[in-house]
Amino acid sequence: MGKVVEIPADMTVRDLCQLLVYKSHCVDDNSWALVEHHPLLGLERCLEDHELVVQVQTSMNSDSRFLFRKNYAKYEFFRNPLTFFPEHMVAWCQETNRTILPSQLLQNFLATNSCPEIQGHLYVKEVGRKSWKKVYMFLRRSGLYCSTKGTSKEPRHLQLLADIEDSNIFSAITGKKQHGAPTDFAFCIKPNKCRGELKDLRVLCAEDEQSRTCWMTAFRLFKFGILLYQNYKIPLQRKTLLSHFSAPRSVSENSLVAMDFSGRIGRVIENPVEAQSAAMEEGHAWRKRTQRMNVLGSHSPLHHSSLNSVIHLTQLWFHGRITREESHRIVHQQGQVDGLFLLRVSQSNPKAFVLTLCHHQKIKHFQILPCEEDGQIFFSLDDGATKFTDLIQLVEFYQLNRGVLPCKLRHPCTVVAL
């Protein structure tokens, strides 16, 4: 469903996102993004917060449109740069033969007087052909180059493939189907003057998701530079300003510790094994509290077992009967950061559910099985070791406790109909 919004000529992407958050009654957590989507080309990109919406729209075709959705990874590279820029792909790290500090790495990308470089093999689709060729590439501030002789950097062996200043970088969402890409990690450099002709596109393909993310993130940094850092800092500065007018409250995961209140005074549990045991006991305690409430009875005409089986339908993280492939697509769209998750109905077992979770840019699936005890149905993803009366309890528990998962649940995949 579309939404009509009147946009002034000077409205930025950030301003429009905040307006749509307000009109759609969403929570403004600075993770919303505006996406430029080209269905016929199979391309899309997350617009930068400082870009002017009307200016971007003038370069779009009639079939193209804007999408409004979450993107938790938009500025994640400022928080975890080494995850986005592997040492073997950063030329400066290779030449100095030493590990680079995260702060130095970002300073090199942001400083206009430095010359960082991303290097590595990429598949490139040959112009006017269906075939792909694997060549060694170099990404610099001046553009994307390929070497005509192995990995040589000599100027006579470098050929300019794409200019950065007059182009934008897109994810190829139909890379294999539309372009015959050799892997699932295709992306595209599209000139600003291109109005939708495939011959003007420079379609590329990486070996894995980390490599593709590195190339695309470096392109953004080379193109926009310090503007990206300013975009990243504005919400943080606003949050700091607002904190002066409200009670201080830490939401950092590092500030959460396991506590034992069984004695006269509380104590911090420092032993990881004991902390894990306490987390399991907390899960059982939640179940017992719910059982006591059920014994006391409720005036609601809906039986508690029926309520527990449908209460999750109202949650933004529940996506119903979607396929495994569709869950991958949603996670990719909303940024592959640690703790990004959604729940869906299992395809193999209609009575079960699946937790789809992103960790280290890899998507993993955990089956949530129903189990019966004393005539009551519970849900568990660790073979019954920790049981929950409904999926909301399960999600809340794993947002605070990692348990058997590789990381805690942090960011729910959210789809908002406009």
Side-chain angles (χ1 to χ4, degrees), residues 235-277:
L236 300 179
Q237 292 167 351
R238 185 178 62 180
K239 185 177 179 181
T240 302
L241 181 63
L242 291 175
S243 67
H244 292 303
F245 301 96
S246 59
R249 181 184 176 189
S250 174
V251 293
S252 170
E253 180 185 317
N254 295 329
S255 67
L256 300 175
V257 295
M259 296 286 294
D260 176 18
F261 294 100
S262 59
R264 296 183 62 183
I265 58 174
R267 67 178 181 89
V268 176
I269 301 176
E270 298 180 353
N271 187 328
V273 177
E274 187 182 358
Q276 177 73 13
S277 176

Side-chain angles (χ1 to χ4, degrees), residues 122 137-140 142-146 159-164 187 189 202 204 215:
L122 283 174
M137 302 275 192
F138 302 93
L139 182 63
R140 301 171 176 173
S142 55
L144 178 68
Y145 299 83
C146 70
Q159 178 183 347
L160 179 66
L161 289 185
D163 179 69
I164 289 182
F187 59 100
I189 298 177
R202 181 60 72 180
L204 305 158
W215 288 103

Side-chain angles (χ1 to χ4, degrees), residues 44-114:
E44 63 181 32
R45 76 175 179 104
C46 178
L47 299 182
E48 306 300 345
D49 287 340
H50 66 272
E51 292 187 80
L52 298 178
V53 180
V54 172
Q55 193 174 48
V56 174
Q57 191 177 28
T58 57
S59 65
M60 297 169 63
N61 297 330
S62 57
D63 64 287
S64 304
R65 61 183 185 271
F66 290 123
L67 304 177
F68 177 61
R69 68 177 181 226
K70 293 270 191 178
N71 184 357
Y72 293 103
K74 185 159 61 170
Y75 299 120
E76 186 67 17
F77 59 89
F78 283 120
R79 292 181 281 267
N80 301 295
L82 296 183
T83 303
F84 283 74
F85 301 105
E87 287 188 7
H88 69 277
M89 293 185 66
V90 182
W92 191 62
C93 295
Q94 293 291 305
E95 292 166 1
T96 56
N97 196 28
R98 63 183 177 87
T99 301
I100 187 172
L101 296 175
S103 57
Q104 287 180 300
L105 180 61
L106 288 175
Q107 286 173 7
N108 273 276
F109 277 108
L110 295 174
T112 56
N113 58 349
S114 65

